[in-house]
Amino acid sequence: MRLNQNTMLLGKKVVLVPYTSEHVPRYHEWMKSEELQRLTASEPLTLEQEYAMQCSWREDADKCTFIVLDTEKWRAQPGPSEESCMVGDVNLFLTDLEDPTLGEIEVMIAEPSCRGRGFGTEAALLMLSYGVTKLGLTKFEAKIGQGNEPSIRMFQKLHFEQVAVSSVFQEMTLRLTVSEPERQWLLDQTSHVEEKAYRDGSAEH
């Protein structure tokens, strides 16, 4: 999505930056993991295919993708490369043609050492807030494998409620409808976030 290609969101634990070609090699290494392929229902791609995917995601109007960086590493001086600070990604898919106010959210914390530390929760909060304030979304869905208890608990903590279970796909669908109180809660939870201009890794730390 071109809308977010110059946007950086700076939180306490994570920084969200647009997915650029600089991030592809690390992302490609992550997606060789059979565990991540299973959790994200993804097929392994070649590096060339991954670069092509990154380009298409940047151009597609129905996909908003941010790479998740570790804020502490990113702030370290002298500034390390963004690739070395990467911990995962967060996506919004706007694929319901009949309802442009609905977004499907996906969060992946790919680095095992970074799981269970609140990175995914803050990344999700930043993305939900971005979806509400910048994309006009009022409903969110998350489709999660039934065995992925940490992810299910995380979304439940973010006020998502279970609406469906697919025994065929072994996945659960959770939904958040953003009422005015939920919108205010989201904005309160992300009031610390700074939005900055991003230029391919050259944003000031």
Side-chain angles (χ1 to χ4, degrees):
M1 180 178 281
R2 284 194 167 274
L3 182 67
N4 76 317
Q5 69 177 2
N6 295 319
T7 301
M8 162 186 280
L9 301 174
L10 179 54
K12 289 175 182 169
K13 295 185 177 184
V14 300
V15 181
L16 302 191
V17 298
Y19 183 28
T20 72
S21 57
E22 177 194 346
H23 306 123
V24 172
R26 180 79 173 270
Y27 191 88
H28 179 62
E29 286 301 313
W30 285 341
M31 298 315 294
K32 290 178 181 176
S33 157
E34 290 184 6
E35 180 199 15
L36 288 179
Q37 289 171 23
R38 180 174 52 77
L39 289 173
T40 59
S42 302
E43 294 292 324
L45 301 177
T46 65
L47 185 58
E48 289 74 19
Q49 288 171 322
E50 208 76 75
Y51 275 110
M53 183 76 78
Q54 181 267 325
C55 285
S56 85
W57 282 21
R58 187 184 61 205
E59 301 298 328
D60 286 352
D62 61 358
K63 294 184 186 68
C64 182
T65 299
F66 284 101
I67 291 293
V68 182
L69 309 179
D70 178 334
T71 300
E72 188 178 347
K73 279 188 182 176
W74 179 80
R75 284 189 182 281
Q77 294 298 335
S81 72
E82 280 184 6
E83 192 181 2
S84 67
C85 305
M86 288 169 61
V87 299
D89 74 342
V90 58
N91 302 286
L92 274 176
F93 300 102
L94 317 178
T95 51
D96 190 328
L97 298 177
E98 295 180 3
D99 188 355
T101 67
L102 172 65
E104 182 183 337
I105 185 168
E106 283 185 355
V107 182
M108 176 181 76
I109 300 301
E111 288 294 328
S113 63
C114 295
R115 294 176 192 161
R117 294 170 56 188
F119 287 23
T121 300
E122 189 179 44
L125 279 167
L126 267 59
M127 190 57 131
L128 292 169
S129 178
Y130 186 83
V132 167
T133 58
K134 297 295 193 291
L135 304 177
L137 302 182
T138 58
K139 295 181 287 291
F140 297 92
E141 285 188 350
K143 293 183 169 67
I144 303 165
Q146 285 178 284
N148 190 350
E149 286 292 333
S151 196
I152 292 168
R153 283 198 302 271
M154 182 191 81
F155 279 107
Q156 288 173 335
K157 193 165 66 175
L158 298 175
H159 302 179
F160 279 67
E161 296 180 351
Q162 180 182 324
V163 292
V165 175
S166 168
S167 54
V168 176
F169 295 109
Q170 295 285 298
E171 70 179 14
M172 182 183 295
T173 300
L174 296 97
R175 178 177 274 229
L176 171 67
T177 300
V178 185
S179 59
E180 190 51 42
E182 288 289 0
R183 179 187 172 91
Q184 196 53 54
W185 178 80
L186 259 181
L187 296 178
D188 289 347
Q189 294 295 309
T190 53
S191 60
H192 63 284
V193 176
E194 292 180 69
E195 182 174 329
K196 295 188 172 187
Y198 178 84
R199 294 288 184 277
D200 287 343
S202 62
E204 294 295 316
H205 286 210

